[in-house]
Amino acid sequence: MARILLIIFGMFFKTIYYFIKICWYSSEKNRDYEKGYRVVQQSARAAIKTGRVNIEVEGIENIPEENGFIFYPNHQGLFDVLIFLASCPKAFAFVIKKEASNVILLKQIIGALGSKVMDRDDLRQSIQVINEVTEEVKNGRNFLIFAEGTRSKQGNKLLEFKGGSFKAATKAKCPVVPCALIDSYRPMDEKGIKPVTVKLIYLPPITYEEYKDMKGVELANTVKERIEKAIAKSLDKENTL
C-alpha cells in the first residue's frame, strides 16, 4: 500500500496526463493498439521509476521477431504486467480475470491495449475469449496469459500451470514464450518503500512444431519446468556472488 501511495502522489500530474491519453486510445473511435501500447508503456515506466523499483531484464532476443505469439509467465503479484509493459519492445495485450477488470485506470488500459476479460465462472464466455485470442494471434497480435490463473502468493514458487490456458496457443499454432518473473511480488507484498529489484527473463520460445504432439497438460508442465529452472539458476547465481 505504501508503494502504491508513493506512485500515486509521486506522479500525480503525470497520472492525470496518462489517464487522459489512455482514455483516448481506449475509446473505440480512437483505438490504435500500437499507439495505445506506447502510451501505456510510458506510464508503466514512470510508475516503476517513481515506485523505486529496479528492473533487470534478460533474453529480449528470445522474443519472436514475427508478431503472433503468446507470453506465458509465472504470476507473483500486481507488478507483473507492469514489468512486461516497461520492458517489452513489441506491443501485446493480456487476458485478465473479470474480478480485476473494473479497477479505474486498469479498465482503460484494457481498452487501449485490446486486452480480454475472462469470467472464469462462465464457461461459454471463457471459450469465447479463447476463440477471440486465437483469431487475433493468427492475425499477428501478441498476448500474455498467466497459466497459473492467479498469483502464487508463495514468492518465487510456482503454482500448477493449467493446461486449458494453452488452448489459444495450440489453436493458433503460435510460438509459446515462457517467461520467468523473479521477486516481482516484492514491490507490493513487502512493507515500506525501500528500493527493490525484480527480474524478468524471456526464455527461448517453443514453436508449434515442438509442441504439436503434446497435450495441454504436457505443454503446461514443460513451460512450468523451464521457468522453474530459470528461476533456480538465477537465484543460485545471485547467492554465489
Side-chain angles (χ1 to χ4, degrees), residues 3 5 40 43 58 134 159 182 201 222 239 241:
R3 201 175 301 272
L5 293 175
V40 173
S43 66
E58 293 182 7
T134 299
L159 299 177
I182 302 171
I201 305 173
T222 297
N239 292 333
L241 293 178

Side-chain angles (χ1 to χ4, degrees), residues 40-52:
V40 173
Q41 185 173 64
Q42 290 171 12
S43 66
R45 288 173 174 172
I48 287 171
K49 183 178 180 180
T50 304
R52 307 180 77 189

Side-chain angles (χ1 to χ4, degrees), residues 107-126:
K107 182 178 181 179
Q108 286 71 33
I109 289 174
I110 290 170
L113 299 182
S115 294
K116 305 295 180 182
V117 177
M118 179 177 284
D119 184 351
R120 294 179 295 182
D121 295 325
D122 186 334
L123 180 59
R124 181 176 295 180
Q125 192 271 350
S126 297

Side-chain angles (χ1 to χ4, degrees), residues 135-165:
E135 290 306 309
E136 293 192 26
V137 170
K138 284 182 179 179
N139 290 325
R141 297 200 68 218
N142 310 312
F143 275 83
L144 181 152
I145 297 176
F146 291 112
E148 290 164 290
T150 187
R151 60 194 184 103
S152 70
K153 298 181 182 180
Q154 299 181 53
N156 290 314
K157 293 183 179 179
L158 278 61
L159 299 177
E160 177 186 357
F161 273 38
K162 303 180 186 303
S165 300

